[in-house]
Amino acid sequence: SGLFHDEPTIEVMNAIGLNISALGNHEFDRGVALLLRLANGGCQAPPTANRQTCAGITGKFSGARFSFLAANVLYRENEQPIVPPTWIKSIDGVRIGFIGAVTRATPGIVVPGGVAGVRFVAEAKALNQYAKDLQAQGVQAIVAVVHEGGDAEGGYDACHNPRGAIFDIARGLDAAIDIVLSAHTHRGYNCIVDGRVIVQAASYGRLVSVVDIEIDRASGKIVRERTHARNVPVPNGVRTPNRLRAAYPPLAPDPKIEAIVEHYRKLAAPLAQRPVGRIAADFDRRASAGGDSALGRLIADAQLAVTRSQGAQLAFTNPGGLRADLRASGDDSVVTYADAFASQPFGNTLVTLTMTGAQLKQLLEQQWSAAKPERARFLQPSSSFSYAWRANGLPGERIVADSMRLDGRAIDFDQTYRVTANNFLADGGDGFRALREGTDRVGGPVDVDALIEYLSEASAVGPLVPDRAPRIRRR
């Protein structure tokens, strides 16, 4: 879908019969205008990199036949929601209202240009406001669909020790909201907190959340004690355990969906199946004790290699940009373009800029946010750079300053260095504001193209072996 500007995803959801979709943070990756194009239709102008637009069966893109919802994203100029905040469905004479919201942390985790001209308000405040509006219209059965999440223990259909932002939000919700469908943290849980269902179906279609409700016809309200939720596994991957396949047999493809998938598969095949290198083993995203991974090391090395001509001395990539382990799908350990694209699908371009040693230290300290200090986002460094951090360090003092090494030499805080990162990071995405202060910026290639070039050259003699040596150390 990414090769076609996400238009296939919209077409498939149309064919499935989706009614609503709450906006998520990734809908803002390329800005509000492109988000609205996906909703309303029309070709992408101009298409970027290897991507095509309006390449569907009909030769055009008509947009979504479902509603995007977000009650808490407003245009700055007029304070109006950028998409509808609510949607109402009538079932057998009873009306059910849905309110959408997206994490208010979105501005800190997307490219700043992606949220230009809009502002995000507190989720609970917006949800409560529109719950009142729905009640004023006579709708008493209300569901919140929120792209924010949390975590819980016990498995995908349990809820031990629930915690995280969505549970904080739920504590501030009006009693009129009976059910919360959550997302964002890619976790599977099925909770009842203060009598209210809060459920999340993990990610990538691995689960489907089903909530069965009963409504009192006299009041129009959901009967909470007769509401039951469950998370149902969907064995849709080649690595799905046999026990899950036996318990939940895969269904035959829907002909409408199959036709769309096959159409795009054929269009993508010449590029997707092109060999780009060979690897001796999977480059996975499993983090070391320090926080870096084999895939992160590979991608950072690739980005450094292709920007050496711009004076680059070190490179960083963000863990959120690593979307799948790099695995060889071809024979004889061959990696295809599709394999590389699965790991690096965002199409960010590389930027090389100049920072001082002191700014590098500041950048690394920003791996811990004030809002969620327990969840560090470790930048993945190239092989030229290494450092250590203190697990018990105070905010702003977690990085062991004299451990910062470039090519084995200590970083001089007064010296300048050339650093490569993708444009998402270079613009301050994920809260890495120090990179915005970098000077002498020079643009580079698309990140997936850098990875492909590096794979091709590094595996010319033999399959590339994952680097298992940590570059970040935890003290």
Side-chain angles (χ1 to χ4, degrees), residues 317-470:
T317 193
N318 53 311
L322 315 179
R323 304 309 283 189
D325 295 349
L326 182 66
R327 298 188 173 111
S329 64
D331 296 334
D332 195 26
S333 304
V334 168
V335 174
T336 66
Y337 183 93
D339 299 330
F341 190 94
S343 295
Q344 286 265 272
F346 290 115
N348 291 316
T349 56
L350 301 183
V351 179
T352 302
L353 47 84
T354 298
M355 303 180 75
T356 65
Q359 288 173 325
L360 274 175
K361 167 75 160 48
Q362 181 186 19
L363 172 67
L364 297 178
E365 295 288 358
Q366 289 172 353
Q367 293 174 134
W368 292 266
S369 69
K372 297 179 180 178
E374 74 285 355
R375 290 179 58 191
R377 299 153 300 176
F378 288 105
L379 293 172
Q380 307 291 294
S382 58
S383 61
S384 57
F385 186 73
S386 62
Y387 70 94
W389 58 276
R390 299 182 184 89
N392 60 349
L394 296 174
E397 299 176 9
R398 293 185 174 96
I399 301 302
V400 181
D402 60 7
S403 74
M404 295 169 60
R405 292 283 188 275
L406 178 65
D407 296 324
R409 295 187 295 274
I411 290 290
D412 183 337
F413 279 19
D414 296 323
Q415 183 76 21
T416 59
Y417 301 91
R418 294 289 282 168
V419 182
T420 293
N422 61 52
N423 64 291
F424 167 75
L425 284 174
D427 287 344
D430 266 351
F432 291 105
R433 299 174 301 281
L435 282 166
R436 293 197 337 222
E437 301 172 11
T439 60
D440 302 322
R441 293 172 175 247
V442 179
V446 175
D447 50 11
V448 70
D449 292 341
L451 175 60
I452 287 167
E453 180 180 330
Y454 184 79
L455 281 171
S456 176
E457 294 179 0
S459 63
V461 176
L464 187 60
V465 177
D467 182 357
R468 304 292 184 191

Side-chain angles (χ1 to χ4, degrees), residues 80-237:
Q80 294 301 305
I82 69 169
V83 295
T86 62
W87 184 81
I88 300 172
K89 184 173 180 65
S90 182
I91 302 175
D92 194 21
V94 176
R95 294 195 297 166
I96 302 175
F98 297 82
I99 315 170
V102 58
T103 172
R104 60 177 161 176
T106 296
I109 53 177
V110 303
V111 175
V115 292
V118 299
R119 72 183 189 93
F120 294 72
V121 301
E123 303 93 342
K125 178 182 177 182
L127 292 167
N128 290 342
Q129 173 189 339
Y130 285 99
K132 298 290 187 188
D133 284 0
L134 288 172
Q135 287 183 305
Q137 299 175 56
V139 178
Q140 303 299 328
I142 301 174
V143 179
V145 189
V146 189
H147 192 92
E148 179 57 282
D151 199 359
E153 294 156 11
Y156 60 81
D157 207 30
C159 185
H160 303 311
N161 187 28
R163 58 204 181 273
I166 194 63
F167 299 102
D168 297 334
I169 291 167
R171 282 190 281 272
L173 291 181
D174 190 286
I177 299 172
D178 297 285
I179 296 166
V180 178
L181 307 181
S182 65
H184 190 52
T185 52
H186 293 198
R187 308 297 294 175
Y189 48 75
N190 179 9
C191 303
I192 297 180
V193 179
D194 298 330
R196 178 186 285 124
V197 165
I198 305 175
V199 65
Q200 182 178 177
S203 60
Y204 304 122
R206 292 177 291 164
L207 299 172
V208 171
S209 294
V210 181
V211 186
D212 296 313
I213 64 174
E214 183 174 305
I215 295 178
D216 183 315
R217 283 193 178 275
S219 65
K221 294 182 178 181
I222 292 175
V223 182
R224 287 194 180 187
E225 58 269 24
R226 294 185 61 82
T227 296
H228 303 285
R230 63 191 187 276
N231 275 328
V232 182
V234 181
N236 62 1

Side-chain angles (χ1 to χ4, degrees), residues 229-351:
R230 63 191 187 276
N231 275 328
V232 182
V234 181
N236 62 1
V238 294
R239 295 169 183 259
T240 301
N242 288 333
R243 61 180 179 80
L244 278 182
R245 287 186 176 277
Y248 303 94
L251 302 177
D254 180 285
K256 293 182 298 183
I257 310 302
E258 189 174 35
I260 296 171
V261 170
E262 286 307 309
H263 171 78
Y264 282 107
R265 193 197 309 278
K266 289 177 181 177
L267 282 181
L271 178 62
Q273 295 172 7
R274 175 163 63 89
V276 298
R278 296 168 64 208
I279 57 175
D282 293 351
F283 284 78
D284 58 52
R285 296 171 293 166
R286 186 175 62 251
S288 69
D292 57 332
S293 67
L295 181 60
R297 295 175 203 122
L298 171 67
I299 290 175
D301 287 349
Q303 295 180 357
L304 175 61
V306 300
T307 56
R308 285 282 194 188
S309 60
Q310 308 292 351
Q313 298 167 278
L314 66 155
F316 294 111
T317 193
N318 53 311
L322 315 179
R323 304 309 283 189
D325 295 349
L326 182 66
R327 298 188 173 111
S329 64
D331 296 334
D332 195 26
S333 304
V334 168
V335 174
T336 66
Y337 183 93
D339 299 330
F341 190 94
S343 295
Q344 286 265 272
F346 290 115
N348 291 316
T349 56
L350 301 183
V351 179

